[in-house]
Amino acid sequence: MRILKNILMLLGVFFVITTLIFAVQGVNESENESVQDVAENDNDKSVSDTYRISAIEIPEDLNFAGELVPQDDPEIMERIDREFLVNTYWQSNALLLMKRANKYFPVIEPILAKNGIPDDFKYLAVAESGLTNVVSHAGATGFWQIMKGTGREYGLEINANVDERYHLEKSTQVACDYLNKWKEKYGSWTLTAASYNAGPGAINKFMGIQKVEDYYDLLLGQETGRYVFRIMAIKEILSSPEKYGFEIEKEDMYSAVPAFKVEVDEPIASFADFAQKYEINYKILKRHNPWLREPHLNNASRKTYTIEIPNKGYYKVAK
């Protein structure tokens, strides 16, 4: 009898263990099927459901400063297409350029117009610097990327204390003087723009070697070879953002803070103290006057400088 009981007990334990094993396997199979179903559903989704990438239609009347592009040339069209694709699908950069343009174009446009420079050249500044006060590896500085020697040649003050290449109005005027000078020589705004990038010396050299006098006939280095096409692409995208898939409202744009001018004709020992007189701080003063390069103004010659001060109420300044 005892043997029979032991046998029955062992059979019972075996039955329970077998039942548990099958139950666990069933749960695992169910979970695997659920995961597989989710994966299959995810695979059904596609980036193309919400984002479309397509070729760019190039405007048929593409021009720079009124000078038409030879769009019947397939080599030219490939170069144009590259710049339209790169600048359209670099969306974050394009949006930043649109926002900055709203802030700075109202300063640049009237200076160009006053000097007889085509409005398209405001996009040259965009191509040069992205409308920021950058410094290139070669030392070109500011929105218009002016070299130290060129700036001084055209009357800018450039030293450790004051660098007027960072002064938007004055540097724009220098750019206008430079462009008018070389337009008179080349007779073409397109070639003048190329010379702004490469330098007249390089352009003259290439023209002499290759015996051609048109930008579109010249074989240039990659940067200058792309330069005018990039400007045209930026112009088209910033002029008609909706056409290229951008949705941006007026309230999304950057705008200039209203300001007034203060003239000073003596040294300023501390711009931090000077700023406090106008209920702003050092950072805000320098933001409005990036051409002031040090925490003080030497002005041993008692030159008259015009400093921009923002109107009250636009910045929150700790007291």
Side-chain angles (χ1 to χ4, degrees), residues 245-305:
F246 293 94
E247 295 182 1
I248 187 165
E249 304 296 332
K250 187 68 176 176
E251 56 267 25
D252 297 325
M253 299 293 195
Y254 302 150
S255 57
V257 171
F260 60 95
K261 309 289 186 180
V262 172
E263 291 188 346
V264 297
D265 59 0
E266 58 186 8
I268 297 175
S270 168
F271 278 130
D273 294 338
F274 180 84
Q276 288 181 359
K277 295 178 183 178
Y278 297 96
E279 299 181 29
I280 56 175
N281 58 30
Y282 179 87
K283 182 185 75 171
I284 295 169
L285 179 71
K286 285 301 191 79
R287 181 177 181 182
H288 280 260
N289 302 276
W291 53 277
L292 297 170
R293 304 307 297 166
E294 294 184 307
H296 57 273
L297 180 65
N298 295 332
N299 202 10
S301 64
R302 294 301 180 101
K303 177 180 176 179
T304 298
Y305 292 95

Side-chain angles (χ1 to χ4, degrees), residues 49-176:
D49 292 340
T50 55
Y51 183 62
R52 306 295 296 176
I53 301 172
S54 63
I56 305 297
E57 183 178 349
I58 309 298
E60 294 181 359
D61 60 346
L62 195 64
N63 70 87
F64 177 73
E67 299 173 2
L68 290 174
V69 179
Q71 291 179 254
D72 55 347
D73 185 324
E75 188 267 344
I76 295 294
M77 287 306 295
E78 283 190 23
R79 290 160 66 187
I80 292 170
D81 191 47
R82 173 183 181 174
E83 300 309 318
F84 270 81
L85 287 169
V86 168
N87 288 282
T88 298
Y89 289 113
W90 190 7
Q91 296 96 329
S92 58
N93 186 63
L95 283 170
L96 277 172
L97 296 181
M98 292 173 198
K99 288 169 175 275
R100 292 174 188 155
N102 189 71
K103 181 177 181 179
Y104 296 114
F105 276 1
V107 178
I108 294 171
E109 289 167 346
I111 300 174
L112 296 178
K114 181 184 70 174
N115 287 276
I117 303 295
D119 193 62
D120 279 3
F121 276 90
K122 66 191 181 188
Y123 300 105
L124 182 147
V126 178
E128 283 286 339
S129 65
L131 299 178
T132 58
N133 276 314
V134 295
V135 180
S136 76
H137 67 277
T141 298
F143 278 39
W144 292 94
Q145 289 291 276
I146 298 171
M147 295 295 289
K148 186 180 291 185
T150 303
R152 286 174 174 163
E153 177 187 348
Y154 284 88
L156 294 181
E157 181 179 351
I158 301 172
N159 53 56
N161 191 232
V162 169
D163 190 339
E164 292 181 329
R165 292 177 293 175
Y166 293 96
H167 193 297
L168 181 53
E169 290 90 339
K170 291 186 178 183
S171 62
T172 302
Q173 182 60 53
V174 166
C176 289

Side-chain angles (χ1 to χ4, degrees), residues 12-31:
V13 170
F14 177 77
F15 176 77
V16 170
I17 291 173
T18 304
T19 302
L20 289 174
I21 289 172
F22 279 112
V24 170
Q25 287 179 338
V27 169
N28 288 339
E29 289 176 0
S30 177
E31 288 179 351

Side-chain angles (χ1 to χ4, degrees), residues 115-118 121 149-154 172-189 191-193 195-196 199-201 204:
N115 287 276
I117 303 295
F121 276 90
T150 303
R152 286 174 174 163
E153 177 187 348
Y154 284 88
T172 302
Q173 182 60 53
V174 166
C176 289
D177 294 340
Y178 181 98
L179 293 167
N180 272 326
K181 174 183 177 179
W182 293 104
K183 168 58 163 61
E184 186 175 346
K185 173 178 173 56
Y186 293 124
S188 160
W189 285 119
L191 205 53
T192 299
S195 75
Y196 193 95
N204 294 341

